Amino acid sequence: MTRYWTNYDNKGDKLIAFGNGTLYKANPRPDEIEDIVRDMQMNNFTAPGLFGIPVDYIKDIRLQEGNDYIQVFFGKDSEEHLQIKDDATRQEIFDFLKDHLPGASYAVDTYTRFRAAKKPLIG
């Protein structure tokens, strides 16, 4: 199964995809996005500039309220940010990853009023 999310504006990652047991991200030129998606649908994941993380390597996925990215922790001490400006798309990708990466742990970090005021109060 291949699932992908595209972004044609200049903010965030242009292409995030899940397929072939790997989580992919890429930032191609806008006119190349459809070609890469078409190749992915035909099970060809060899496009230049396509960064992939095998699902076996992914340990932890974090979504923090107020940040425009999802953190993906993999390997020994490696981390990748999936930049997604749209809140609904970011939540959709996070939920999809929770359902399709059974070996990883997940965390949603939300700010309460107390937590938001804690550092200024300490200062």
Side-chain angles (χ1 to χ4, degrees):
M1 168 186 23
T2 301
R3 181 72 195 268
Y4 59 88
W5 297 268
T6 58
N7 176 16
Y8 288 94
D9 62 14
N10 289 330
K11 298 177 179 132
D13 291 324
K14 304 287 185 259
L15 177 64
I16 297 173
F18 181 84
N20 218 18
T22 305
L23 177 64
Y24 295 97
K25 102 175 210 177
N27 286 302
R29 294 190 321 254
D31 59 332
E32 294 176 337
I33 293 174
E34 289 304 319
D35 293 335
I36 294 173
V37 168
R38 193 175 324 106
D39 288 345
M40 287 180 169
Q41 290 172 338
M42 296 168 62
N43 216 20
N44 179 3
F45 296 90
T46 60
L50 198 60
F51 175 71
I53 307 168
V55 295
D56 296 342
Y57 293 179
I58 297 174
K59 296 178 182 176
D60 191 22
I61 298 174
R62 295 184 191 163
L63 174 64
Q64 186 174 17
E65 187 177 279
N67 288 344
D68 59 354
Y69 56 83
I70 296 173
Q71 289 177 286
V72 178
F73 294 90
F74 62 97
K76 189 166 177 111
D77 292 323
S78 300
E79 169 184 355
E80 187 66 34
H81 289 190
L82 303 177
Q83 297 283 336
I84 307 136
K85 301 294 183 183
D86 181 46
D87 293 337
T89 305
R90 187 170 48 251
Q91 186 64 48
E92 178 186 344
I93 293 171
F94 182 74
D95 291 340
F96 180 86
L97 294 176
K98 278 192 336 188
D99 293 339
H100 291 86
L101 300 177
S105 62
Y106 306 92
V108 177
D109 196 7
T110 58
Y111 280 103
T112 62
R113 289 182 182 181
F114 173 73
R115 185 171 173 197
K118 186 175 170 182
K119 284 188 179 180
L121 289 175
I122 292 173

